Amino acid sequence: MRVTKIVLAALFLLTIATSCNKYNKIYKSKDYEYKLKMADELFAKKKYKVAQQLYEELFPVFKGTAKFEELYYKDAYCFYYMKDYMQAQALFKGFLEVFPNSPKAEEVDYLHAYCFYKQSPKLELEQVNTTKAIGMMQTFINTHPGSARIKEATEIIDICRAKLEQKEYRSAELYYNLGQHRAAAIAFTNLINNYPESVKGDEYKLKIVKAYYKFAKLSFVEKQIERYEKVISEYQDFADRYPESKLLKEAESYSNLSQNNIKAIKYEQTTSSVNR
């Protein structure tokens, strides 16, 4: 096993050395036109790492010339194809600042936004890039109203919004499962307000009704009537918003329980007052 590892390591080092020697002539050349030609050929062959290194070296040489735009464009694409989306988006942004009237501007503007989408992390992490992707794609749509990429940009916005909705749902559900009923009700209310188009709106609304019911039930007696009335109010809003929902009957049951509990509390209060 040890011998195998040594042989593999030696082969790896040999490959690197051979690769370096292979491009040594290009790296050392002072013929910048030749170097640019070779960078373009390597780019076409998908040797993006070597091509990018050459483009970067040639930046100051060709800056201000007619060839600089294409060089800049391909340099940004090298990072994009290598999946270094942070560097790619920075270069795409720079390209738009240097060449705002380029025929490639629309394409690059889209890729700039798309790089933020590609940097969108796992659901458990902070979704800063997801939010940025939504904003960037919406700006792209507004800036290029006739673009063929609008359909794809809109789909990406929908994907990102669904991801943010799911993250927000998890937070609300966590409050609910931990028994923090009032916090859960507020979180689910925010969820509906933030995503009014959601197909799960009635599910979120039912959670609001249930959370407020549990909150009322665990409250001090003197607070219960007011809080059961909140349950009834939320049910009525449910019925107005989702009259065809399959969950309507379940929501109604909590309203009925709340009404019965209010009657029981008022009866108890009246009986106690008479007995005094």
Side-chain angles (χ1 to χ4, degrees), residues 8-40:
L8 288 172
L11 287 171
F12 178 70
L13 290 171
L14 181 63
T15 302
I16 292 174
T18 305
S19 178
C20 289
N21 289 333
K22 184 179 178 181
Y23 301 118
N24 231 9
K25 180 186 173 184
I26 305 171
Y27 286 134
K28 289 182 177 179
S29 174
K30 297 299 180 185
D31 184 342
Y32 298 122
E33 291 290 346
Y34 163 75
K35 195 172 276 191
L36 179 60
K37 178 174 175 291
M38 292 309 298
D40 288 340

Side-chain angles (χ1 to χ4, degrees), residues 49-94:
K49 187 171 181 60
V50 184
Q52 191 283 317
Q53 290 170 348
L54 292 171
Y55 286 136
E56 188 172 317
E57 184 185 337
L58 294 170
F59 249 65
V61 177
F62 288 96
K63 189 174 182 179
T65 70
K67 295 181 179 180
F68 186 54
E69 180 179 338
E70 186 69 13
L71 186 158
Y72 204 139
Y73 173 78
K74 287 181 177 176
D75 187 40
Y77 255 114
C78 284
F79 284 110
Y80 178 79
Y81 287 135
M82 290 190 291
K83 298 184 179 180
D84 186 344
Y85 298 114
M86 184 178 290
Q87 287 291 341
Q89 68 89 9
L91 279 165
F92 285 133
K93 180 184 178 184

